[in-house]
């Protein structure tokens, strides 16, 4: 393994004296040509496989076989040898890029991994993994013991050879499994997550076995310190990662987001931590891939990690690094060595035993773990893929003198064939697996969340000056946080004034500080956030308060929640100059809460039993439905969706009664469709169709039905510098007898 990860040391490229020489012109030319050719053929075959309904990873693996000695080297041996010379230094350069593909693919896999689901399925995954290790290891050990002597590099070390074969039979290729699951769009299925969890557990145990066997091969005897170091290293890393590592990940991403910001910084921070973790696990004597995978999991759980950065990383991996990795794995295969009768027969026997052991072990583990017959076959199909991880085992075996060229080619052939078998077998077996009701609901919820406005909200900014409006706003944020993990920042904004005399300035500063504490406390007291949410408080100053709020809002917030401060309304503004400007210039969605609560009430809590959402079926109304339904699911309130059919006198003259009936039918469809969305959030949702002037009917209905909160959805329009939601929204804001919250999204 050190030969792969330290190419310069392995090739002796470091000069004894003077400066380190740069990469030679010819070496650089070759590696660029190799990468271009591998990427072209891998992506080309990958797209071809996609057209014939096979995952692209099949074509990417075959690309290396075609460009290797088996095909390209057979047809044009001189040209193939010139482009892919048998030079350790040149091979190591390509191996570095290939290893980056492994690490990046595992980071992306970690980002996609649902750790909570894996924990729920942990017993099943562990049983599958144990079955997938024990039985293949036993069959591989027996195989190694009975193979002819001419397949051993050193017949006197048959035990070491047998242990290497057993380890190679036990390994699974998590990158291949993950790529197949992603290509088949199965990674979010229960079976996909369990396969991934079992594969990762399988590989972790396999890497520990590999470390032990490598130590045995090096020392020539059973080495207890090597065994304990490998096992202890894995336990130590996982323990650190999911305790201190989780906290470190959160703090680093928060700092990067606060002081640098943007998806580029988020991506860089993730890669620095992932590569550092990979180096750490490699130092501990276990595989570097484990560190990258766990880092991806931790980043995926952090609310501060940029989803745009995750998408960018996935595109880089799928479009460049992963195809290079898979093609390089196939490049090492020399099928010509398998054409001799004895090698061919032994190769078929090894392949059969490898498949039998993995399928049987994974199937038995699945059945013991409570999975169905077809789920067990699917698990065996996925776990049977060996991929480049087995090729790494074979490479280490050759470097340690345990495997000869014949056996190396056989093991690599097994890795390629089993990886090619996995996609069609998984597709076939999973077509027989029906989705259970619980899984169907989870997938439906995830699909809803992927398109949902409220589910995308992770960070909320609550500017506060104190008062009943912001107290009610804080209560609504609290209800939202009970349903979705949020990071909430309460901000007190101060404006810098003209310099005062020293004594006056000191008194003013003390008063201001006390005011800030009071204002922040007014918000903090209303929010009893759950343990998975976080409340931060800030006091910031600037040229004016709006500048302070907008500067903070540009640090990656998803929602700004403002109190309307209607009692300080400025002339020519909807709320006041500060709120109007923040709403107009906000880089994200805003929610403005206008409350009729009295500031003198002993308890500021406003009980919500009935929430009204006027809807016209547009995107903004849907946002309001999601917010109202999320709050209702927490408080137990009933949500009523109302659509008002505007039947004025003019309408009677211009349209027939049949047209009015059609409008009413459309209104019913609108509220019913959005009611289903609301019920998907766990709320009790009712519908109502009213007739008349919309704003008048809504206010009347809210008063008659004792509505506790009206939630409006609106786009932002600017009229002569004033925030304008439309005449109807303005009328409801100013005339309603109950609190009103307006969800606003900037109109393009």
């Amino acid at each position: 393994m050190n030969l792969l990860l330290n190419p310069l040391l392995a090739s002796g490229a470091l000069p004894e004296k003077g400066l380190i020489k740069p990469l030679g012109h010819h070496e650089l030319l070759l590696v660029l040509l190799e990468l271009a050719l591998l990427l072209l053929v891998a992506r080309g075959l990958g797209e071809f496989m996609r057209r014939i309904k096979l995952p692209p990873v099949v074509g990417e693996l075959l690309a290396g076989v075609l460009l290797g000695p088996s095909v390209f080297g057979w047809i044009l041996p001189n040209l193939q040898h010139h482009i892919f010379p048998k030079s350790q230094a040149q091979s190591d350069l390509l191996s570095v890029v290939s290893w980056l593909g492994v690490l990046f693919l595992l980071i992306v896999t970690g980002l996609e991994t649902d750790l909570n689901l894996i924990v729920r399925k942990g017993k099943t995954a562990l049983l599958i993994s144990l079955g997938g290790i024990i039985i293949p290891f036993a069959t591989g050990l027996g195989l190694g013991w009975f193979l002819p002597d001419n397949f051993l590099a050193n017949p006197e070390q048959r035990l070491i050879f047998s242990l290497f074969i057993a380890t190679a039979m036990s390994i699974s290729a998590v990158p291949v499994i993950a790529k197949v699951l992603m290509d088949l769009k199965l990674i979010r299925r229960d079976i996909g997550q369990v396969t991934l969890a079992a594969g990762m557990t399988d590989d972790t145990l396999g890497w520990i076995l590999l470390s032990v066997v490598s130590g045995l091969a090096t020392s020539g005897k059973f080495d207890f310190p090597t065994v304990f170091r490998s096992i202890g290293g894995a336990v130590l890393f996982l323990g650190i990662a999911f305790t201190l590592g989780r906290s470190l990940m959160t703090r680093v991403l928060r700092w990067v987001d606060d002081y640098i910001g943007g998806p580029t910084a988020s991506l860089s921070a993730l890669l620095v931590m992932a590569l550092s973790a990979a180096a750490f696990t490699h130092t501990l004597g276990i595989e570097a891939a484990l560190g990258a995978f766990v880092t991806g999991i931790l980043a995926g759980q952090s609310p501060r990690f940029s989803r745009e950065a995750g998408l960018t990383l996935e595109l880089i991996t799928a479009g460049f690094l992963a195809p290079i990795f898979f093609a390089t794995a196939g490049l090492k295969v020399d099928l010509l060595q398998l054409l001799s009768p004895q090698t061919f027969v032994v190769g078929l026997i090894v392949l059969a035993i490898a498949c039998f052991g993995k399928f049987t072990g994974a199937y038995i583990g699945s059945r013991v773990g409570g999975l169905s017959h077809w789920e067990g076959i699917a698990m065996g199909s996925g776990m049977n893929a060996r991929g480049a991880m087995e090729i790494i085992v074979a490479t280490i075996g050759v470097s340690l003198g345990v495997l000869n060229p014949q056996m190396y080619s056989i093991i690599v052939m097994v890795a390629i064939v089993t990886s090619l078998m996995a996609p069609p077998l998984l597709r076939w077996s999973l077509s027989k697996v029906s989705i259970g009701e619980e899984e169907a609901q989870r997938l439906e919820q995830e699909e809803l969340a992927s398109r949902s406005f409220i589910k995308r909200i992770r960070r909320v900014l609550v500017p506060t000056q104190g008062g009943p409006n912001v107290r009610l706003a804080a209560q609504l944020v609290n209800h939202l946080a009970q349903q979705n993990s949020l990071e909430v920042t309460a901000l007190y904004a101060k404006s810098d004034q003209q310099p005062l005399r020293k004594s006056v300035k000191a008194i003013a500063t003390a008063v201001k500080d006390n005011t800030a504490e009071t204002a922040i406390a007014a918000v903090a007291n209303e929010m009893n956030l759950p343990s998975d949410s976080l409340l931060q408080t800030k006091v910031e100053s600037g040229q004016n308060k709006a500048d302070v709020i907008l500067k903070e809002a540009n640090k990656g917030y998803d929602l700004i929640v403002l109190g309307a401060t209607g009692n300080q309304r400025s002339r020519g503004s909807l709320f006041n100059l500060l709120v109007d400007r923040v709403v107009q210039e906000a880089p994200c969605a805003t929610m403005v809460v206008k409350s009729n609560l009295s500031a003198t009430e002993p308890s500021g809590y406003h009980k919500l039993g009935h929430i009204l959402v006027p809807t016209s079926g547009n995107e903004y109304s849907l946002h309001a439905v999601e917010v109202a339904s999320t709050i209702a699911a927490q408080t137990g309130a009933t949500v009523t969706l109302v659509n008002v059919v505007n039947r004025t006198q003019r309408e009677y003259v211009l349209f027939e009664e049949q047209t009015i009936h059609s409008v009413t039918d459309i209104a019913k469809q609108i509220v019913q469709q959005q009611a289903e969305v609301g019920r998907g959030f766990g709320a009790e949702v009712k519908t109502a169709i009213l007739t008349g002037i919309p704003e008048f009917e809504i206010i009347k209905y809210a008063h008659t039905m004792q509505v506790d909160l009206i939630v409006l959805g609106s786009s932002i329009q600017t009229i002569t510098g004033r925030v304008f939601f439309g005449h109807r929204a303005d009328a409801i804001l100013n005339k309603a007898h109950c609190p009103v919250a307006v969800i606003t999204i900037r109109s393009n």
Side-chain angles (χ1 to χ4, degrees), residues 160 210 316 355 361 366 375 378 409 431 486 496-497 595 608 652 672 706 722:
I160 302 297
L210 180 59
I316 294 171
C355 294
S366 300
E375 286 175 324
S409 293
S431 68
L486 297 179
D496 296 328
Q497 303 294 331
S595 170
L608 299 175
Y652 276 119
Q672 288 298 335
Q706 298 182 335
R722 175 187 184 275

Side-chain angles (χ1 to χ4, degrees), residues 174-193:
V174 171
V176 174
I177 294 171
K179 189 69 161 55
V180 170
L181 290 172
M182 285 190 283
D183 288 340
L184 296 177
K185 302 187 186 306
L186 296 172
I187 199 164
R188 299 305 305 171
R189 287 278 305 273
D190 281 1
I191 190 70
Q193 292 287 289

